[in-house]
Amino acid sequence: GAAAVGGGGWSSPPKFEDYQAVYNEIANRLEENDEYDDGSYGPVLVRLAWHASGTYDAATGTGGSNGATMRFAPESAHGANAGLKAARDFLEPVKQKFPWITYSDLWILAGVCSIQEMLGPKIPFRAGRQDKDVAACTPDGRLPDAAQAQDHLRNIFYRMGFNDQEIVALAGAHALGRCHSNRSGYSGPWTFSPTVLTNDFYKLLLDEKWQYKKWDGPKQYEDKKTKSLMMLPADMALVEDKKFKKWVKEYAADNDLFFKDFSAVVTKLFELGVPFKENTEKWVFKPVNA
Ligand code: ZEM
């Protein structure tokens, strides 16, 4: 394996089994650290992988998961990245144990692992991201603003090279995790099972009655029935816009379709701007606790 490294070179280049060992380590740490938040670091690790990738600008080829530039201020200090230190710190012992893996591959592998371990679809992975230095940090403002609606979502995601269907498929990740008032200012989970990936985000968006939450915080929605779930203005835009809503209905009605499209679009997201070597293999890791 890749562990026996001396003199700054590889004894042999890391292989599938080496990355599976890293995957297993992350999966086991997820299982061990079940006191965090709703019982899992999974959602915040998915958010780390997404924010590493979602800075991509197709026109200039800048940003994206190649580089792991969120290790550095100013990018770590961008408002959108508030709270992601928890995810980076969670992965630091993994990096210490497997020093041959780059941070940029590690963060994406952690996103892949978390989605699979939270009972989501298989996410194929290719290795080869290289870490960059602080000069490669992207400017603030490349990630979506939750207070805005469809025009903004299209501006942000078209810039990365996504279409309307892909935008809606990606947003299904909000089945996972929650908003934290000390991070984004928003509060609460989107679904009743925030550590299991399902198409519930779409179902709830369509089936529940959503009203403004009366509070001092930013404008957000709560479900009328239990007042325990939330939607962001940007989430509500997916049912206010006809073209988006068509896909919300499709995914609400068919979890298999959602899983198929989610796997494809997340794979695309996680690879934006990565200059893989020719013939880089696509690996599918074996789940550990899923
Ligand atoms: Zn999110 N997201 N996101 N997202 N996101 C939050 C949390 C999580 C938007 C957004 O403003 C926010 C995608 C797309 C978009 C996850 C995954 C993905 C939070 C709450 C906000 C405000 C942060 C906090 O307070 O901790 C907006 C406007 C989006 C545009 C559509 C995409 C794409 C994602 C992955 C594919 C996840 C998993 C979380 C939960 C994090 C956690 O800590 O629980």
Side-chain angles (χ1 to χ4, degrees), residues 65 70 77 86 89-90 117 119 153 193 198 201 221 237 245 288 290:
S65 66
M70 204 201 297
D89 288 351
F90 173 90
E117 296 299 312
L119 308 183
L153 291 180
S193 54
T198 64
F201 170 78
Y221 297 81
K245 190 175 184 180
V288 174

Side-chain angles (χ1 to χ4, degrees), residues 159-174:
R159 187 206 70 223
M160 297 179 222
F162 292 113
N163 63 30
D164 288 356
Q165 171 260 317
E166 290 173 316
I167 293 170
V168 178
L170 280 170
H174 282 171

Side-chain angles (χ1 to χ4, degrees), residues 89-184:
D89 288 351
F90 173 90
L91 293 172
E92 195 52 38
V94 183
K95 171 69 176 166
Q96 299 311 316
K97 188 162 176 183
F98 303 94
W100 50 266
I101 195 170
T102 61
Y103 280 101
S104 28
D105 272 341
L106 176 62
W107 291 358
I108 296 303
L109 180 54
V112 167
C113 175
S114 297
I115 290 167
Q116 293 191 172
E117 296 299 312
M118 293 190 287
L119 308 183
K122 298 278 169 53
I123 310 290
F125 174 88
R126 290 195 285 174
R129 292 165 192 79
Q130 295 300 319
D131 294 340
K132 296 185 186 171
D133 69 20
V134 62
C137 281
T138 45
D140 201 358
R142 288 200 175 178
L143 291 161
D145 172 359
Q148 296 196 53
Q150 48 267 45
D151 291 354
H152 172 74
L153 291 180
R154 288 196 169 93
N155 283 337
I156 293 281
F157 284 94
Y158 287 4
R159 187 206 70 223
M160 297 179 222
F162 292 113
N163 63 30
D164 288 356
Q165 171 260 317
E166 290 173 316
I167 293 170
V168 178
L170 280 170
H174 282 171
L176 301 171
R178 60 166 55 241
C179 295
H180 304 78
S181 49
N182 60 345
R183 295 180 179 177
S184 60

Side-chain angles (χ1 to χ4, degrees), residues 36-37 43-44 46-47 50-51 82 144-146 153 157 167 170-171 173-174 176-181 183-186 190 232 234-235 262 266 269:
Y36 173 80
D37 230 1
V44 79
V46 173
R47 185 164 168 252
W50 138 239
H51 280 206
D145 172 359
L153 291 180
F157 284 94
I167 293 170
L170 280 170
H174 282 171
L176 301 171
R178 60 166 55 241
C179 295
H180 304 78
S181 49
R183 295 180 179 177
S184 60
Y186 298 96
W190 290 267
L232 301 163
D235 297 316
F262 185 74
V266 166
L269 173 73

